[in-house]
Amino acid sequence: MSILFDKERETFFLETEHSCYQFRITRHGTLQHLYYGRPVGETCMDYLTRFADRGFSGNPYECRHDRTFSLDLLPQEYSSFGMGDHRVPALKTVLENGSRTAELRYLSHEILPGKLCPEGLPHVRQGHSACETLVVRLFDEVSGLTVKLFYSIFPAEDVIVRSAQIINGSGQKIVLEKAASASIDFPCGQWDLIHFAGRHCMERQPERAALGHHVLSVGSSRGMSSHHNNPFVILCDREVTEDSGDCYGFMLMWSGNHRAEAELDQAGGVRLVMGIHEDGFSWLLEPGESFRTPELILTYAAGGLNALSHNCHRLLRENVCPPEFRHSRRKVLLNNWEATYFDFDTDKILSIAAQAKDLGVDLFVLDDGWFGQRSDDKAGLGDWFVNEKKLPGGLARLGSALNGMGLDFGLWIEPEMVNEDSDLYRAHPDWALRDPGRAPMVARDQLVLDMGRTEVREYLFGCIDRLLKEAPICYLKWDFNRSVANLFSSALPAERQGETATRFMLGTYALLFRLREAHPGVMIEGCAGGGGRFDAGMLFFCPQIWCSDNTDAVQRLRIQKGTSYGYPVFTMGSHVSAVPNHQTGRSVPLGTRAVVALSGTFGYELDPGKLTGAEKAAVRDQIAVFHKYSELIRSGRYYRLDRTEAEEGFTAWAFVSEDRCEALVSVVDTNVEGNPRFHHILLKGLVPDAVYRLEGSDRRFSGAALMYGGYTLPQMFGDYPAAMLHFAADHNAAYDE
Ligand code: DGJ
């Protein structure tokens, strides 16, 4: 049993294999958080709480002569605004009379087998995992508001999935101004917050900040999870390294506006609140209506950031990504975007495809420009009908020609967008989000469709379903190329306009649910101008996401490494592109470009006709390497090996098989110096007393030697040199001297 309720102490014990989470019902009916961290046996952690009378921290009425009980000081389970907890709240409500107070007291609870799945939202799937769910009901007597807190415990995965449902059980209207997925209070400690910031072409760069007496808030109000701040944050002990220390991961299953807020309070406690961003958000609850928040994945690791990443990677692979693609080898694809941009016709595409096939590519992806009047990025979005001038005979003819060559066929779309210069916009201008009487904010010459509207989704489903039926398409690249502004829906009344951004995201999810159900075999790769929507919400539908529009291998090292803190390598779309690189102008050797792309879904984004004979031979070898190691890369544990601070200009990482018998190490030197030092790496995750053989040599090493003594690489010369080393356990061998 992973959930226990101790009646005598009125305390909940939630246990995973390597973590424990406790909270209790206080004598005044509030929920007090007690502990989250390493398992502590059966000890109830209530002894940690000391009560004191602190000035300016008030007391609930029923205990006003006991000045030591204050909601302002006690760690809470789900903080609400108005009753004297002056830290960041999880819940903000407005009643009809204007009151903004919510006072939540325990009402009841139940412990259910399995995982409850929130309707219409991406969620953690139970899959083959053991799981129990605790539902706690809280009630506000004055307003009639009920809040249900959900806790699904995945013991083997060391994961707790939290979410909340706010139900209006009153006879009046209640407006939600904020409804976070969860809040959690840590009573003491010295904490850092790590978050993943960036920009277009430079996504998910880790930033680590010490928490002080302020609210550290990171999020996105761009209508998308964004290039700028990812909905994944880590709270960790100040001493945490890649390989040691307490750390907690918080990953929101939501692809729209989001925010994480961390606050150090007057008593030395830290609160983290995470959920949908409250800027521009409101949700009207008529009597009887309810609102369900997205799920928040919580995971704890005592062994540092690598261990925390392993928890996230395993959960996303086994319990989030679509099961159809969980264990399948990814197809090596070639995408024509950087090869042709908008300038292509059937002959050019088939010529590129034939050469790609000859190199060993499995899947040809036709990118932007095949539809409507799309000769550049100013027109055509929304008109999802093939441009017969470019592609006579349409997608069916192209698809069958590709299939005839032995290639699968993939197609680019950007369903949530529309150009003003499109038949769709001319017919339905009200389908785009825009404020009445105001010129819209444009970006890349496009507007955003109101995905909350049923007729918009019907149109898009009809178009995509038709495309998938008329041509043999097995892959869609689902793009999204601007931030959302002008959050006004012509289909909603004034009092519901604050719901537009949330309904937009729910609408996109509804379309994705329907398409996945109608076409379960079609792989959808997520994309948003590269990695602008790289989050657990999209991964629920899309087993891989284009990691960045920046295909420069040297910069990709940083982008993919930053992404790896939360997300597994096999979800990161990564291609070998041409040099000089189109984003940076840099030239990186073909071999190094492949080493970097191999730590991703792997594919090419170039014109193979421009490769030399030697380069073509190298590409064939790279594809062979992919086939050889794809299972290890997909299912192995990923370790960041380099000590970035000390070894600037050198990046190393490894995949270690689950049985720890195999390790694939990749290294790239991005800063070769004169009289170069030898780079030295310490392997991780091996069996100390197993013997490993280095492929291509006679050397054998104990796991302990490779982990504690390490391995010294030969000097590396040239522009951005790279190497891959494969170690395999050799059970019959003796140690080398
Ligand atoms: C942005 C994507 O990230 C690119 O790969 C490409 O598909 C373009 N959009 C096409 O417009």
Side-chain angles (χ1 to χ4, degrees):
M1 290 255 287
S2 51
I3 303 174
L4 273 175
F5 179 63
D6 180 334
K7 275 194 185 141
E8 212 170 293
R9 293 168 185 269
E10 300 221 290
T11 299
F12 296 94
F13 294 81
L14 317 181
E15 303 277 348
T16 74
E17 272 178 28
H18 304 100
S19 74
C20 158
Y21 186 111
Q22 295 182 13
F23 63 99
R24 71 166 171 189
I25 307 162
T26 66
R27 58 187 186 278
H28 300 298
T30 60
L31 291 188
Q32 180 193 346
H33 182 78
L34 294 177
Y35 177 76
Y36 185 28
R38 266 183 207 241
V40 288
E42 287 171 15
T43 302
C44 177
M45 302 303 279
D46 57 353
Y47 72 89
L48 287 177
T49 313
R50 297 214 182 260
F51 294 89
D53 173 8
R54 281 177 200 261
F56 293 88
S57 289
N59 323 105
Y61 194 77
E62 61 265 44
C63 59
R64 71 191 188 285
H65 298 305
D66 170 9
R67 294 186 184 171
T68 66
F69 187 97
S70 172
L71 297 180
D72 202 21
L73 298 167
L74 288 174
Q76 307 290 322
E77 265 312 291
Y78 194 71
S79 50
S80 60
F81 184 82
M83 282 307 291
D85 177 355
H86 296 281
R87 294 164 290 180
V88 174
L91 181 69
K92 288 186 184 174
T93 52
V94 190
L95 308 184
E96 271 182 6
N97 64 6
S99 164
R100 300 187 115 77
T101 296
E103 188 175 16
L104 301 173
R105 300 292 161 103
Y106 171 84
L107 187 66
S108 64
H109 75 268
E110 55 190 326
I111 297 171
L112 303 165
K115 170 76 177 25
L116 305 184
C117 299
E119 209 182 308
L121 285 166
H123 51 264
V124 177
R125 307 168 204 262
Q126 178 159 357
H128 299 298
S129 308
C131 178
E132 276 189 311
T133 300
L134 166 67
V135 187
V136 183
R137 266 182 221 86
L138 306 170
F139 186 61
D140 180 351
E141 261 187 27
V142 172
S143 67
L145 195 79
T146 298
V147 173
K148 279 190 191 176
L149 300 182
F150 297 87
Y151 301 79
S152 290
I153 316 303
F154 288 79
E157 290 75 11
D158 284 316
V159 160
I160 298 175
V161 181
R162 286 191 58 179
S163 63
Q165 184 178 22
I166 295 93
I167 305 153
N168 182 359
S170 77
Q172 62 170 317
K173 291 179 180 187
I174 298 179
V175 176
L176 301 180
E177 289 194 331
K178 180 177 187 179
S181 295
S183 69
I184 181 163
D185 284 346
F186 295 85
C188 51
Q190 297 269 300
W191 297 100
D192 283 352
L193 185 79
I194 303 176
H195 66 101
F196 300 88
R199 58 185 190 275
H200 178 227
C201 284
M202 208 61 224
E203 297 89 339
R204 289 172 295 285
Q205 298 307 295
E207 283 187 11
R208 186 166 174 165
L211 291 183
H213 290 103
H214 48 229
V215 179
L216 210 162
S217 157
V218 288
S220 160
S221 57
R222 294 168 179 271
M224 59 198 291
S225 50
S226 87
H227 308 80
H228 305 76
N229 274 313
N230 194 262
F232 172 61
V233 297
I234 298 170
L235 201 56
C236 62
D237 185 271
R238 207 151 284 173
E239 304 299 320
V240 153
T241 67
E242 287 287 4
D243 303 305
S244 68
D246 285 331
C247 39
Y248 301 82
F250 302 91
M251 185 178 283
L252 194 65
M253 291 202 70
W254 184 247
S255 314
N257 296 339
H258 61 90
R259 178 148 80 169
E261 295 159 283
E263 177 180 13
L264 177 65
D265 69 26
Q266 59 175 325
V270 158
R271 168 168 297 173
L272 187 117
V273 176
M274 198 161 171
I276 293 177
H277 202 305
E278 67 187 277
D279 280 2
F281 169 86
S282 67
W283 195 280
L284 171 66
L285 293 177
E286 294 282 357
E289 287 185 347
S290 68
F291 179 80
R292 184 71 186 259
T293 73
E295 291 190 335
L296 182 69
I297 299 165
L298 280 65
T299 184
Y300 163 78
L305 297 169
N306 267 317
L308 190 80
S309 297
H310 296 159
N311 290 358
C312 297
H313 295 179
R314 184 173 50 176
L315 189 86
L316 291 172
R317 184 181 66 213
E318 301 295 330
N319 301 81
V320 172
C321 285
E324 292 84 356
F325 305 103
R326 198 180 288 155
H327 298 297
S328 59
R329 180 180 73 71
R330 297 293 156 79
K331 293 177 174 139
V332 178
L333 69 78
L334 185 135
N335 178 305
N336 71 305
W337 178 241
E338 289 197 10
T340 65
Y341 295 103
F342 293 103
D343 179 20
F344 61 81
D345 57 18
T346 306
D347 287 349
K348 199 178 211 178
I349 291 299
L350 290 181
S351 152
I352 292 174
Q355 294 178 75
K357 174 66 192 167
D358 180 51
L359 298 176
V361 164
D362 305 311
L363 164 68
F364 180 86
V365 178
L366 180 62
D367 211 280
D368 196 353
W370 56 267
F371 52 90
Q373 299 307 308
R374 186 83 166 163
S375 50
D376 57 26
D377 61 9
K378 294 185 177 57
L381 290 173
D383 298 340
W384 301 110
F385 301 91
V386 74
N387 180 340
E388 293 258 359
K389 279 192 198 132
K390 274 188 179 177
L391 303 171
L395 298 175
R397 184 165 157 238
L398 181 66
S400 82
L402 291 168
N403 286 177
M405 291 176 186
L407 283 169
D408 286 335
F409 180 26
L411 191 68
W412 178 97
I413 47 169
E414 192 177 357
E416 297 142 283
M417 299 292 168
V418 66
N419 283 116
E420 280 180 288
D421 185 1
S422 69
D423 292 342
L424 181 67
Y425 188 74
R426 282 183 280 274
H428 299 286
D430 60 317
W431 283 11
L433 293 170
R434 47 183 305 185
D435 290 285
R438 206 183 287 286
M441 199 280 276
V442 282
R444 212 193 188 205
D445 276 292
Q446 59 198 59
L447 302 179
V448 184
L449 287 173
D450 185 354
M451 295 298 293
R453 288 178 74 151
T454 318
E455 56 275 45
V456 173
R457 297 197 301 274
E458 280 300 320
Y459 169 77
L460 292 172
F461 179 81
C463 289
I464 301 168
D465 184 57
R466 172 181 43 75
L467 290 169
L468 294 176
K469 284 178 177 153
E470 78 186 20
I473 295 165
C474 69
Y475 161 110
L476 287 174
K477 177 176 171 188
W478 185 295
D479 209 342
F480 186 90
N481 280 304
R482 58 161 285 183
S483 304
V484 186
N486 303 121
L487 283 166
F488 188 94
S489 165
S490 50
L492 291 175
E495 58 187 1
R496 287 201 179 273
Q497 287 300 330
E499 299 170 17
T500 307
T502 309
R503 287 186 184 275
F504 172 85
M505 208 58 248
L506 292 172
T508 295
Y509 287 152
L511 179 60
L512 281 161
F513 268 114
R514 194 169 166 199
L515 282 165
R516 290 274 313 119
E517 199 181 325
H519 302 278
V522 174
M523 140 103 67
I524 305 177
E525 173 158 347
C527 176
R533 240 179 7 188
F534 206 119
D535 57 68
M538 288 312 284
L539 285 174
F540 180 83
F541 305 100
C542 310
Q544 59 193 53
I545 298 176
W546 182 226
C547 197
S548 178
D549 271 349
N550 188 344
T551 59
D552 175 306
V554 170
Q555 302 239 287
R556 272 296 187 117
L557 285 172
R558 287 175 57 198
I559 296 167
Q560 292 176 196
K561 180 177 173 179
T563 306
S564 80
Y565 282 89
Y567 305 97
V569 154
F570 79 96
T571 62
M572 299 180 206
S574 191
H575 302 164
V576 174
S577 62
V579 290
N581 181 267
H582 293 198
Q583 290 76 43
T584 62
R586 188 193 333 248
S587 290
V588 173
L590 184 57
T592 302
R593 282 178 271 156
V595 168
V596 176
L598 278 163
S599 287
T601 55
F602 196 60
Y604 291 83
E605 185 147 345
L606 44 69
D607 182 349
K610 296 192 173 144
L611 297 175
T612 64
E615 286 172 331
K616 284 184 181 167
V619 168
R620 284 192 192 94
D621 289 347
Q622 291 164 2
I623 292 176
V625 170
F626 168 78
H627 287 301
K628 188 168 171 192
Y629 296 126
S630 67
E631 179 55 25
L632 178 57
I633 292 169
R634 192 191 58 73
S635 64
R637 288 188 179 200
Y638 172 88
Y639 288 90
R640 292 170 293 270
L641 296 184
D642 52 309
R643 286 161 285 175
T644 318
E645 308 79 18
E647 299 232 42
E648 208 163 305
F650 179 62
T651 303
W653 65 98
F655 303 92
V656 178
S657 60
E658 276 294 327
D659 64 7
R660 302 158 78 198
C661 286
E662 237 189 308
L664 181 67
V665 179
S666 302
V667 290
V668 180
D669 191 332
T670 51
N671 187 26
V672 172
E673 296 170 341
N675 187 12
R677 285 171 297 157
F678 294 104
H679 291 301
H680 181 249
I681 47 174
L682 296 174
L683 273 78
K684 296 175 187 174
L686 303 180
V687 180
D689 53 7
V691 178
Y692 294 85
R693 182 199 290 269
L694 173 61
E695 192 179 310
S697 97
D698 295 333
R699 287 293 306 205
R700 296 189 192 86
F701 315 84
S702 70
L706 291 170
M707 290 193 293
Y708 314 137
Y711 185 81
T712 304
L713 292 150
Q715 279 181 316
M716 296 171 101
F717 291 98
D719 282 340
Y720 315 108
M724 284 175 103
L725 309 171
H726 182 248
F727 296 90
D730 180 348
H731 300 292
N732 303 318
Y735 298 107
D736 269 12
E737 293 297 299

